[in-house]
Amino acid sequence: MRIAAVSALAALRGEAAADVMRPFITQRDPALAIVAAAALAASNADADLTLAEDTLRRYAEDSRDQGTPWRLQVARALGDVRNPAFRSLLVPLMYDADLEVARAAIESAGLLGGDDFLVVPPLVSLMRNRRLKSAARAVLTGYGESVVAPLAYFMRDREEDKWVRRHVPSTLAALPFPASVAALLDALDDPDGFIRYKAVAALDRLHRVHPELVIDKAIATRHANVEAARAFNALTLHYNLFVAGGIDRGTLLSRALNEKYTRALNRTLTLLGLVHGTGDVAAVRHSLRVGDARQRSRAIEYLDNLLEGDSRKRVMLLIDEMPEDERIRKGNVLYRTRTRDVEDTLAQLLHDEDQSIASAAVLLVADRKVWTLADDLEYVLAHRDVRDQDVFEAASWALAASRMDEQRRKALWLEPLPAVELADRLRNVPLFHFTDVNELFRLARLGRQVRYETGRALYQRGGPVDSVQFLLDGRVTITGRDGARDLRAPLALGVEELLEGAPMSAAVTAEEPSITLLLSANDFLTLLSENVELAEGIFRMMIESRSLVAGHTLIRGSLAPDLKNRTVEDLRPVDRVLLMQSSPLLAHATAAQLWGLSAIAQPLAVEPGKAVIERGGEAAILIVLSGSLAVDAPDGGGTATAGDVIGMYETLAGVTLDASVTAINTAHVLRLDRDALFELLADYTDLLQGVFSKLLRQRAADQAVAAP
């Protein structure tokens, strides 16, 4: 209002506007000085512009706590300043320590439009900040097609922060232009498998939501063939070591190779979906993953008839039913490779481009004492990319161990452990049973190793939880309301309390010398935000053995009277928001979060007798708007009517729906698919925490009811 009033006064005074502004700037009231300076920024006189800039800069650079309100006002005022010379004042405010100031600066950047790209690089870098990522992405996508080129540049830049690069594909997926498609196709050549995965997912989303966009089928097919080759390479390396070589499959390297194979196969099938139809190939992929023998057989036969040429050979090699040794033999013929012995395979893996794979190979060399590969370890230290710190650390640790006797080797425990050793121990923490090995390495890098002597407290009961700790070695006593328990490593501590936003529920004390990996609350929540796969794994672990799923496939709800009997055709945007709010897990979501959820919800009209989800199908959240659906489930199921929610827990857990959902009469529903839901949760960490909190309380309530 002040800006508007002073600006109106300046307009009324015409050429005398500068004379009107100066008295306000020189007064002691910072609020008036800031609004006057913002209005004076429209002057044509150099002296006036200098006065306005000096005034705004003085308050923008006041880093004291008492200066926060003035920095906030400057950030907001700059959104109304059209003079490009003042844009540079906005950039530092976007990085302000106060989140409200930073958000205001980001919003002002959105008001200025995308014609001045001074603000684009900081907005791109802020996608690395979990608290500001959503706001920065919203501004970038609001700029439209003009921002695609700079986003593509940052994604290609190998020197850029890798997590900034990894967030670009999802942003491009919200920009439905041919240039976005071209940039994402170009990203399929990136050596970073995570970027390739995000690029494929972004292309898949664009193809489904905007089928009018043309995706070059030849390029998609070529990359599908490349990914199929990557999948077989991981498969044959695993076979060499853990089948032909007889090594225990319960190693970090075995898990890493299996995950690499699965990721490459998923990228292969998703890319083929861009060529042959996303719906059909997605159904095939789901059948291959969770279907019974008959479903798998039909899916394999369908792909066999659909594909041709090199694609058919490569894909059928991976999915056709055959003995493992026959698959490897056929693949070696197709790719002109051969089965190698353990030492030769390990030597190859030490130089793998994926440093998680290479580090895990180093660990296996050290554990099996294959010191004939010491020269290869020395070569790794001399020639590996300097940015691959995990591999350097692992190789140095292994070479040090190779030159020590057993007693001195044990003494290495007194030194900080390398990331590969930490990742190897973290994988045994139940919370991380479904977490990707690459994320275990990231946890290891972010965390701080803490050693506790006997009797030392890790947590106080009732105290704030500002960090989570993962017990990697040793034993602790957990003393809570129900008494004391002694537990050994591996163990996660403080995670549930942090996710629920609650004080520590029990005291935790070391019963013997123990080692933990400690992550600050901010670092742990950042991990959840930046890689939703970690959050998915935790959800799955929390709902393990379907303790929450059982009996909760159908959740009863209710609708406001004005929402009942609506059809999807007359459903207003605000009605979608109110429907989202009716869900028990989303009751405390903010307005912005509910709007985001409503945007990804698909309205569906289902005819009588038609199945919405088949039993064993991929789960999705269904919110019933009108009509009725039959939910046939082992736990009894029932009839879902207006306001009821189906498949909430299964969707979060990533399990199949052990129920069939069929329309009894014409029904209108909103459907939230899992991929879109988790992508949104990654942008809103507080919403993610809220859902976790609701799940934890529901689990506690169920356990209380089940207790004798």
Side-chain angles (χ1 to χ4, degrees):
M1 290 295 293
R2 282 173 170 165
I3 291 175
V6 175
S7 298
L9 183 59
L12 290 171
R13 293 296 179 90
E15 294 181 359
D19 296 330
V20 176
M21 296 299 103
R22 291 193 188 97
F24 290 111
I25 289 179
T26 56
Q27 288 181 7
R28 293 190 176 185
D29 185 348
L32 287 176
I34 291 169
V35 295
L40 194 61
S43 172
N44 293 321
D46 291 343
D48 294 339
L49 294 176
T50 300
L51 178 61
E53 182 178 358
D54 290 345
T55 302
L56 292 173
R57 187 180 300 279
R58 181 169 69 255
Y59 291 109
E61 294 178 352
D62 185 354
S63 59
R64 300 172 302 163
D65 289 342
Q66 54 266 45
T68 300
W70 316 132
R71 298 198 307 277
L72 178 60
Q73 189 167 342
V74 172
R76 290 171 174 167
L78 287 171
D80 293 309
V81 174
R82 297 304 172 194
N83 190 332
F86 287 77
R87 302 280 171 88
S88 61
L89 296 176
L90 196 58
V91 174
L93 293 171
M94 294 164 69
Y95 295 99
D96 197 275
D98 186 274
L99 287 176
E100 191 176 0
V101 174
R103 287 196 183 97
I106 291 170
E107 290 168 3
S108 289
L111 295 173
L112 299 175
D115 56 336
D116 187 339
F117 287 105
L118 175 67
V119 296
V120 170
L123 286 170
V124 173
S125 69
L126 285 170
M127 290 197 295
R128 181 72 168 79
N129 186 316
R130 70 177 177 87
R131 291 187 176 95
L132 301 173
K133 175 176 62 175
S134 178
R137 178 175 287 167
V139 170
L140 286 168
T141 55
Y143 288 161
E145 189 172 8
S146 61
V147 82
V148 173
L151 283 172
Y153 172 81
F154 285 110
M155 185 170 60
R156 287 193 303 268
D157 185 5
R158 306 283 169 84
E159 301 301 318
E160 180 60 74
D161 180 283
K162 68 179 179 181
W163 280 100
V164 169
R165 298 178 65 220
R166 290 172 174 182
H167 285 309
V168 171
S170 297
T171 307
L172 289 172
L175 292 161
F177 304 104
S180 298
V181 172
L184 291 167
L185 287 173
D186 187 54
L188 297 179
D189 286 314
D190 200 284
D192 187 328
F194 198 95
I195 289 179
R196 295 199 305 273
Y197 158 69
K198 287 293 187 181
V200 170
L203 285 167
D204 182 56
R205 179 179 170 187
L206 282 171
H207 188 57
R208 283 186 286 106
V209 180
H210 300 280
E212 71 279 4
L213 290 174
V214 177
I215 296 177
D216 192 310
K217 294 185 177 181
I219 294 177
T221 300
R222 175 170 62 83
H223 283 290
N225 291 343
V226 171
E227 293 296 345
R230 286 192 175 102
F232 178 75
N233 184 57
L235 189 68
T236 191
L237 291 169
H238 186 276
Y239 178 87
N240 292 347
L241 295 174
F242 305 106
V243 180
I247 299 175
D248 178 17
R249 297 190 187 206
T251 65
L252 183 68
L253 181 58
S254 175
R255 179 167 164 177
L257 286 171
N258 278 330
E259 290 173 356
K260 186 173 184 178
Y261 163 77
T262 301
R263 290 193 300 268
L265 179 58
N266 284 336
R267 289 193 296 266
T268 301
L269 294 176
T270 305
L271 285 165
L272 289 175
L274 300 178
V275 179
H276 301 286
T278 55
D280 290 343
V281 176
V284 167
R285 180 168 54 183
H286 181 67
S287 297
L288 292 173
R289 187 172 71 250
V290 299
D292 56 23
R294 183 176 298 177
Q295 281 182 301
R296 285 182 54 84
S297 179
R298 286 201 298 264
I300 291 170
E301 182 180 0
Y302 176 81
L303 276 186
D304 193 17
N305 293 327
L306 180 68
L307 303 178
E308 57 186 23
D310 204 28
S311 290
R312 180 177 176 277
K313 293 177 184 176
R314 295 184 181 216
V315 174
M316 297 310 296
L317 171 69
L318 298 174
I319 68 171
D320 216 348
E321 299 284 0
M322 67 180 77
E324 194 170 11
D325 56 349
E326 182 182 350
R327 193 184 314 277
I328 297 300
R329 180 181 58 78
K330 287 185 175 181
N332 285 335
V333 172
L334 177 63
Y335 290 105
R336 299 179 182 179
T337 57
R338 60 182 176 84
T339 301
R340 301 174 183 271
D341 61 25
V342 168
E343 186 173 320
D344 198 6
T345 302
L346 283 174
Q348 178 180 341
L349 287 168
L350 291 176
H351 307 287
D352 195 276
E353 63 180 15
D354 184 333
Q355 64 167 329
S356 297
I357 297 284
S359 300
V362 172
L363 182 64
L364 189 59
V365 167
D367 286 348
R368 293 182 61 84
K369 299 180 176 59
V370 190
W371 302 128
T372 52
L373 296 177
D375 288 344
D376 292 83
L377 294 175
E378 296 280 7
Y379 185 89
V380 166
L381 287 175
H383 299 282
R384 187 84 188 195
D385 190 318
V386 294
R387 290 170 294 188
D388 290 349
Q389 191 60 40
D390 292 343
V391 185
F392 278 110
E393 196 177 56
S396 298
W397 176 272
L399 285 170
S402 72
R403 296 159 185 160
M404 296 179 181
D405 56 31
E406 190 63 27
Q407 184 174 0
R408 292 178 63 197
R409 196 175 294 120
K410 288 180 179 179
L412 282 173
W413 267 95
L414 299 176
E415 302 175 11
L417 298 173
V420 67
E421 288 277 358
L422 293 172
D424 191 41
R425 286 163 175 76
L426 284 170
R427 71 188 174 96
N428 294 314
V429 176
L431 191 69
F432 300 129
H433 282 177
F434 302 102
T435 300
D436 191 280
V437 166
N438 288 315
E439 282 307 294
L440 296 180
F441 273 90
R442 190 160 181 239
L443 277 164
R445 288 192 296 271
L446 279 177
R448 174 170 60 88
Q449 295 174 57
V450 181
R451 297 173 187 273
Y452 293 94
E453 297 303 323
T454 303
R456 187 177 170 191
L458 284 72
Y459 292 98
Q460 298 287 346
R461 183 180 175 185
V465 181
D466 53 10
S467 65
V468 296
Q469 299 190 62
F470 305 104
L471 185 65
L472 303 179
D473 191 62
R475 180 167 57 95
V476 298
T477 296
I478 300 177
T479 307
R481 186 176 303 170
D482 300 326
R485 296 174 296 153
D486 278 5
L487 295 174
R488 301 199 67 87
L491 190 64
L493 301 166
V495 174
E496 292 193 1
E497 288 84 356
L498 175 63
L499 293 175
E500 193 172 358
M504 194 64 193
S505 60
V508 183
T509 307
E511 281 299 301
E512 63 186 37
S514 303
I515 300 174
T516 71
L517 185 73
L518 183 148
L519 272 80
S520 71
N522 183 63
D523 283 343
F524 187 68
L525 292 174
T526 298
L527 278 174
L528 293 180
S529 170
E530 290 184 339
N531 191 351
V532 75
E533 285 73 23
L534 177 60
E536 290 176 340
I538 295 175
F539 271 126
R540 191 175 302 176
M541 193 65 214
M542 288 171 60
I543 312 177
E544 189 182 31
S545 74
R546 304 190 179 208
S547 59
L548 274 179
V549 172
H552 291 97
T553 296
L554 173 57
I555 304 172
R556 297 299 180 185
S558 61
L559 294 181
D562 60 335
L563 285 178
K564 289 184 177 179
N565 301 318
R566 292 286 187 89
T567 65
V568 294
E569 288 80 10
D570 61 7
L571 197 64
R572 300 170 301 172
V574 69
D575 296 332
R576 292 197 193 189
V577 172
L578 295 173
L579 278 170
M580 295 295 108
Q581 198 171 31
S582 69
S583 166
L585 289 186
L586 305 173
H588 300 293
T590 66
Q593 294 162 359
L594 291 170
W595 276 110
L597 287 164
S598 69
I600 63 172
Q602 305 171 34
L604 298 175
V606 190
E607 298 174 357
K610 184 176 180 181
V612 185
I613 301 178
E614 300 279 3
R615 172 167 287 164
E618 193 163 1
I621 298 173
L622 303 176
I623 302 175
V624 184
L625 178 61
S626 64
S628 55
L629 299 168
V631 181
D632 181 14
D635 55 36
T639 300
T641 56
D644 293 343
V645 180
I646 302 168
M648 173 73 76
Y649 295 117
E650 291 92 341
T651 302
L652 292 172
V655 299
T656 58
L657 194 70
D658 191 18
S660 61
V661 182
T662 308
I664 298 173
N665 48 44
T666 300
H668 295 264
V669 302
L670 284 183
R671 174 178 175 136
L672 280 85
D673 288 320
R674 188 166 185 267
D675 289 346
L677 174 63
F678 272 93
E679 190 167 317
L680 184 79
L681 290 175
D683 282 344
Y684 294 107
T685 313
D686 50 347
L687 176 60
L688 187 65
Q689 275 187 282
V691 175
F692 273 126
S693 177
K694 282 284 188 180
L695 283 173
L696 288 167
R697 292 175 186 175
Q698 180 65 58
R699 187 176 68 177
D702 287 356
Q703 290 170 346
V705 170

